[in-house]
Each structure stands twice: as structure tokens, then as C-alpha cells.
Amino acid sequence: MSTQHSRAAARLLVAPSVVLLFLWMIVPLAMTVWFSFLRFNLLMPGTREWIGFLNYEFFLTDPAFFAAVANTLAIVLGVLAITIVGGILFALLLDQPFFGQGAVRLLMIAPFFVMPTVSALVWKNMFMNPVNGLFAWLQKSVGMAPHDWLATTPLLAVIVIVAWQWLPFSTLILLTALQSLDEEQREAAELDGAGALARFRYIVLPHLSRAITVVILIQTIFLLSVFAEILVTTNGGPGTDSTNLAYLVYAQALLQFDVGGASAGGIVAVVLANIVAFFLMRMIGRTLEG
Amino acid sequence: MGSIVLEKVEKTFGEVTVIPPIDLEIGDGEFTVFVGPSGCGKSTLLRLIAGLEDVSAGRVLIDGRDATDLAPAKRGLSMVFQSYALYPHMSVRANIAFPLKMAGMTAHEIDAKVTAAAATLNLTDYLDRKPKQLSGGQRQRVAIGRAIVRQPSAFLFDEPLSNLDAALRVQMRLEISELHHQLGTTMIYVTHDQVEAMTMADKIVVLNKGRIAQVGSPLDLYRRPDNLFVAGFIGSPKMNFVTGPVAAAHGAHTIGVRPEHLAISADGGDWPGTVGVAERLGSDTFLHVDAGDLGTLTVRAGGDVGFRHGDRVGLTPDPAAIHRFDDKGMAIR
């Protein structure tokens, strides 16, 4: 029973953490907004004049911005496609009874525990390197010219690396969803004359739809801000071929020392992320209701 | 078209034998009930017939055709599951249409058949709902609808009423029996409830630990149980068993008397006792009488019988209705 008294006490007691969290969020956001209206360049100390929307104008008309938006979307959509299709296939495979199932499932999750910088470097130096890499060796051993992943298809390389990291996550979520499918439904479909493919199409896939939405939601949040993998492999290049929004903001602030421009970019990224979130939540609301 | 024959069908899981070799014939159009306590293998036997489990040895013949290695869908059987196993994301219409769609029928044919099935089962108003918007009885009907549209050669029911409340169970029992008379199709029905078995079956198969204890018509099993297990399982309340000198006097190791075959009187009677709990159902009264060395005996008396807790009474069994069993539990005839 909550009385007037206990409610007041409760408010008083949670107040410090609420205030702290609020400040924690609002202070950086307010400062970013403030900086985005200033000429604030670390190479020109002392000049912090108000320039209105000029930073936004520069950022939004920069050709690198459009490349970055396109690359961000490519990374999100590419990784989602690979992890969901791959995740469903792996989940179906791991759901079968076989010898050493426990050990294989454990190994399957392992990539998720590897730090992004580490895994990206392993991929860069041991797999995708055109001289020493495993892929180059495989190509050379069948007489092909080695493919230089990071120089010729940098965005694809980033997508492959990030997808490898997120595949265990989607596999795990989809596997648990698969295991919650009522066995009698599967048997009923079998008796109704549905073959393996029809059972997948009409019974398994609809059952997985919720889990798939959850995977899309969580992964999109993280994939919009992929950074470490780009930093340690391609540095956003060549040119802006593998620069996404997060990396563009970083380059603006810490490579060109333009804090004002970077702040404007940060705010633009926040707005874009919210637009994506809006559509995502609508889609999810519909799936989770049904 | 719809006879099912099991020839020495056996099922083992590794070392464990769940069903020792069984021979059974189910005639065309028969309503057969597999009944037995939990874990007696009745559901496994049904799944063997459906093809959801592989038989370890023996043959399953459906319509005289060897179906032992046929895929479930190719056997021409349809099944109603205990959980109904409706497809939750499909409407009632799509659920019922699913087997027809899988059989590759045209939309026009499917529509006609679904409409007909829905009319038979009073589901016409619910065709566009999702299963979770239906009550238990309606879901049950959808599951039956999905089974009948295919016009199978036999229906298999796996404890279909056990998730329903008591009143609905009685009603669905009647509906399923009525459906059997309408369609005239072979039905195999699995239940642990002997009342369902007695009321619905043409033929009851009583199973005990994977073995067939007895096969026969309901009244056959009631009047002439082959062994103690069937005698105790069929009939409600349970048959009273008496061992010792009283049984020996009848030339048996155990004698059994059904509650309805014990006469109760205020004095006299063969077996004196004290009335314990009296359960009054209105039409009948079940009296639990403590008869000393004989143990507690259940007596079925009229609804207005006047005995109360603690009354001294005498019980007299109907001599023509005493069942005698030897020391192995088999009936002596």
C-alpha cells in the first residue's frame, strides 16, 4: 500500500539518481547543440563566434555526408540481411540433434565475445590481407589473382566483419524462438501434408517473425553507430568509400579539428537515428501485436 | 475403406520397450477407444498408427495396404491433438484450409469445402478470427474441422477433450459421437477417462503398460472383465475387491463386486459394516462402508437412502454378479 507519505519519500529517494541521469544525458546534448552553432576549431584557439546554421549548411552539403548516409544504410541493411538469413539457417542446423551439440553451440556464440577492434584486426590481417591473408592464399592456390578486400571493396569488407560479429546474436535469439515452437504444430502440419519447405514457410517462419523483429530492432541500434571496425581496418577510405555517419563525425572533430562542424553532424545523426527509430517502432508495434 | 490392422507392432526406445508386440484389428467405420492410465503407451500406439513415430518391428496395414514406412501425410489419416495444434498466426479459415492448400486444390474447391466443414461444426461466424480469440470448445471444433475437410480414411484423436471443462467435455463428447454417425468414418480415440471410453466407443482397447489388457465392446468389458486390471479400470465408482477367506469361499483368490451389485440393509446381510462418508449425487448415493477385515467397500444406493455416517449396516452381494479372479489376477469363468 502506498500512502501519500511513502510516495513522497519514494520520490525524494529516487530523485538523486534521476537528476544525475538527466544531467548525464542533457548536458552533453545541450553542449553539442551549443557547439554546433559556433565557429569552433581546435586549430584556431580562442575564436568561438556565433555563426548560426553555417555548420549545418556545410555538413549537409558536403558530398561526404551523402556518401556517409548511403554507407550507413548499406552497413545496417547488409549486416541485417546476412545475420537474419544466416541466423535462421544456423538456428535450423543447431536445432537438429547431433553429437557434440553443446560444444558447437558454445563455439557458435564465441565471436560475440571478441572485442570489435580485435576481430576487425584479425579479419584485416589474417583473412583479407592481399599478401598474407587466408582468402588471398585460397585464391592463389586455384590460380586466381588475390582480391584486395580493403582497397577495392572496403564497404563489403566492413559489412562482412560486422556481420560475423553479430551472427551469433541473431542465431542465439532465433534458436531459442525455434525451440519454443510447439512440437504438435509441426506434427499437425506434417499430417496435413506439408513438406519440409512448406512447414518452414507456413509454420516456422511466422513463428519466428517476432524474434526476427527483435533482432532487427536491437541490431539496428548498434549497427547505426559502427565505428571501431572502420577505424582499425579502412579508416573510412579509400576516399569516403567506407565512411559512415559515426566515422564522418569522428573525422570532422578529431582529424579536421572542427568541433563545431562535428557537433552539427552529431545532431544530424541523432535526428536521422530518430527517424529510423520511428519507422522501426511502428513496424515492431504491428508485429508484436499480431 | 478405413480398416487398420496392427501386426506384431513393437516400439522400443533404446533398451526400453514401450510397446511389446501388439496385434489389433480395427474395422471400417468403427469407433475404437484406446484407454488406460497415464504412461500405458496409448498415445504412442496412436502416433505409431499416424506415422509420427517409427515402428521398431511389425507392420501397420491401412486399408489392407502396408503403411509401415509411409510418411504420415501419405497414410490418409488425420489427427486431432490434445493441444489442438492450431496454427496461431492463421485465421480459422486458413487453418481449416491448410491441408487442402497443401494438397494443391484450387481456391474455389477449398472455399466450398471449408464453408461446408464450418457449417457442420457451427463455425461459420468465426471463420475470420484467429485461434486465440476463440474459446476452448471452439478451438476444439476448428481442430476437428481441419481434420474432416480432407475426408481421411480414419480420424485419430489424442485426448482431445482433456483441456476442456467438465460441462463442455460432455457436450463435445456428444458432438464427436454425432459426427461419427454422420460421417461413418473409422475413428480411433485415445483417452484416460473411462467414462469417455464407455460412452463413445464401439470397441474399447484397454492398455496396461503397453500391453492390451482386453478388447471388447463397452458392455462386454463391464460385464465380463478378463482380469483385475480391466475390472478395476472400467466402471465408476471402482469395483470392490475382496481377498482372503471370503474370496476362498467362492473358490477364488480375489472376488470383485461392483458398487451397484451390493444391497445395503439396516440389519442382516452377509457382510456387516459401518457407514463412513456418504456422497449424495441426488440420483444416487455412494456410501463408503467400513466392513472390518474386508476393507472399505463402496455401495451405490438410491438417492433417498437414509443411512448416515456411523450407522451399522449389512451388505449383501448379488451372487450372480460376483467376479472371481485367480492368484494371477485372471478371471475364473
Side-chain angles (χ1 to χ4, degrees):
Chain A
M1 280 297 281
S2 70
T3 61
Q4 198 92 48
H5 207 74
S6 70
R7 250 177 289 162
R11 277 201 203 116
L12 197 69
L13 287 170
V14 296
S17 30
V18 170
V19 169
L20 189 71
L21 283 173
F22 184 71
L23 290 178
W24 195 278
M25 186 200 80
I26 208 70
V27 169
L29 185 66
M31 283 177 72
T32 310
V33 173
W34 172 241
F35 289 162
S36 71
F37 292 111
L38 298 182
R39 186 195 306 280
F40 184 175
N41 194 312
L42 297 177
L43 293 178
M44 295 183 282
T47 57
R48 284 201 198 176
E49 59 195 89
W50 178 270
I51 53 168
F53 283 93
L54 207 60
N55 278 328
Y56 287 94
E57 206 183 311
F58 277 123
F59 191 82
L60 291 173
T61 52
D62 185 353
F65 168 69
F66 296 102
V69 169
N71 288 341
T72 307
L73 287 178
I75 291 175
V76 171
L77 296 178
V79 173
L80 280 179
I82 296 175
T83 51
I84 285 169
V85 173
I88 291 173
L89 294 178
F90 272 118
L92 287 172
L93 213 59
L94 290 178
D95 197 32
Q96 309 297 320
F98 59 88
F99 177 74
Q101 198 179 34
V104 171
R105 282 186 189 170
L106 206 66
L107 284 175
M108 189 66 217
I109 308 166
F112 205 47
F113 290 106
V114 180
M115 282 169 274
T117 40
V118 175
S119 72
L121 281 176
V122 168
W123 275 89
K124 177 187 178 183
N125 295 325
M126 297 176 75
F127 289 106
M128 291 172 169
N129 188 296
V131 180
N132 305 315
L134 187 68
F135 295 153
W137 178 79
L138 282 174
Q139 282 181 308
K140 276 187 278 187
S141 65
V142 292
M144 289 164 69
H147 176 71
D148 189 352
W149 285 80
L150 298 176
T152 49
T153 51
L155 194 61
L156 180 66
V158 171
I159 290 174
V160 168
I161 294 170
V162 178
W164 180 79
Q165 284 174 341
W166 282 95
L167 194 56
F169 174 77
S170 64
T171 304
L172 210 62
I173 302 270
L174 294 170
L175 178 62
T176 48
L178 204 58
Q179 285 169 337
S180 73
L181 175 59
D182 180 18
E183 191 58 33
E184 287 198 341
Q185 266 181 45
R186 228 185 274 217
E187 287 174 350
E190 201 178 334
L191 273 168
D192 282 344
L197 277 179
R199 282 207 295 282
F200 176 75
R201 161 82 183 73
Y202 293 106
I203 310 298
V204 177
L205 211 51
H207 178 75
L208 289 182
S209 64
R210 278 177 190 215
I212 291 173
T213 345
V214 170
V215 169
I216 290 177
L217 176 71
I218 296 180
Q219 289 201 10
T220 306
I221 293 169
F222 286 93
L223 294 177
L224 279 172
S225 57
V226 166
F227 177 73
E229 292 85 347
I230 298 175
L231 182 73
V232 300
T233 54
T234 63
N235 265 315
T240 54
D241 281 1
S242 61
T243 298
N244 69 351
L245 270 176
Y247 193 83
L248 186 66
V249 171
Y250 157 78
Q252 198 82 24
L254 295 170
L255 300 182
Q256 298 170 25
F257 305 107
D258 179 6
V259 176
S263 299
I267 298 299
V268 169
V270 168
V271 170
L272 290 180
N274 274 294
I275 293 172
V276 172
F278 174 74
F279 285 109
L280 216 54
M281 293 315 283
R282 273 184 45 162
M283 176 188 90
I284 283 163
R286 223 175 298 139
T287 319
L288 295 190
E289 261 170 37
Chain B
M1 60 151 285
S3 68
I4 294 170
V5 180
L6 305 183
E7 287 182 0
K8 302 242 174 310
V9 165
E10 193 178 342
K11 178 67 185 174
T12 54
F13 289 109
E15 297 286 290
V16 187
T17 303
V18 185
I19 299 195
I22 270 186
D23 287 296
L24 185 65
E25 278 186 40
I26 294 163
D28 180 27
E30 242 176 10
F31 197 121
T32 305
V33 173
F34 293 171
V35 68
S38 313
C40 69
K42 54 192 189 299
S43 282
T44 310
L45 195 57
L46 192 75
R47 294 167 61 83
L48 288 173
I49 295 172
L52 295 172
E53 305 272 357
D54 295 323
V55 295
S56 306
R59 297 202 305 159
V60 178
L61 304 175
I62 298 173
D63 291 338
R65 205 157 47 103
D66 188 348
T68 315
D69 298 316
L70 278 186
K74 302 263 185 278
R75 299 190 179 198
L77 307 174
S78 59
M79 184 154 166
V80 176
F81 291 84
Q82 183 173 4
S83 68
Y84 317 139
L86 300 179
Y87 311 128
H89 51 276
M90 296 184 197
S91 66
V92 168
R93 186 191 302 278
N95 261 288
I96 298 178
F98 189 71
L100 304 177
K101 191 169 157 186
M102 289 299 112
M105 286 193 187
T106 63
H108 188 71
E109 278 177 293
I110 292 178
D111 209 44
K113 289 196 176 217
V114 171
T115 311
T120 318
L121 294 162
N122 292 326
L123 284 170
T124 312
D125 296 339
Y126 307 108
L127 278 176
D128 294 315
R129 295 208 192 164
K130 290 275 172 69
K132 72 172 176 193
Q133 295 165 303
L134 301 177
S135 70
Q138 289 164 343
R139 285 182 207 183
Q140 179 66 70
R141 278 205 281 268
V142 176
I144 294 173
R146 194 174 62 188
I148 64 174
V149 276
R150 279 203 300 156
Q151 292 164 329
S153 51
F155 292 103
L156 312 178
F157 292 92
D158 188 4
E159 306 216 20
L161 306 186
S162 52
N163 291 346
L164 302 178
D165 63 54
L168 206 51
R169 208 177 301 170
V170 173
Q171 189 198 333
M172 287 307 295
R173 209 163 76 194
L174 289 174
E175 285 184 25
I176 293 176
S177 295
E178 185 57 43
L179 194 69
H180 178 241
H181 287 295
Q182 271 177 35
L183 301 173
T185 313
T186 313
M187 291 188 177
I188 305 179
Y189 187 103
V190 164
T191 180
H192 60 265
D193 180 353
Q194 57 96 16
V195 177
E196 275 174 30
M198 292 295 283
T199 51
M200 301 170 85
D202 295 325
K203 178 154 98 186
I204 297 182
V205 179
V206 183
L207 290 162
N208 182 24
K209 294 176 189 148
R211 290 177 198 280
I212 295 180
Q214 193 175 354
V215 180
S217 73
L219 287 181
D220 236 18
L221 299 191
Y222 175 79
R223 289 184 186 135
R224 295 167 57 80
D226 276 349
N227 47 51
L228 272 178
F229 179 81
V230 176
F233 195 81
I234 300 289
S236 171
K238 264 181 71 147
M239 186 188 280
N240 298 300
F241 294 115
V242 175
T243 52
V246 177
H250 285 90
H253 179 263
T254 309
I255 57 168
V257 186
R258 295 199 182 276
E260 47 271 45
H261 299 140
L262 275 175
I264 188 164
S265 51
D267 40 36
D270 293 358
W271 303 334
T274 315
V275 176
V277 174
E279 297 175 302
R280 297 190 181 275
L281 303 182
S283 57
D284 297 300
T285 306
F286 298 141
L287 297 153
H288 298 269
V289 178
D290 179 8
D293 290 344
L294 304 180
T296 302
L297 303 178
T298 313
V299 181
R300 178 179 189 162
D304 43 10
V305 72
F307 299 108
R308 312 170 140 271
H309 195 281
D311 286 355
R312 299 287 302 168
V313 292
L315 303 177
T316 312
D318 174 359
I322 293 179
H323 301 270
R324 300 184 302 147
F325 301 96
D326 63 18
D327 54 352
K328 292 190 183 67
M330 303 309 285
I332 305 171
R333 294 204 172 114

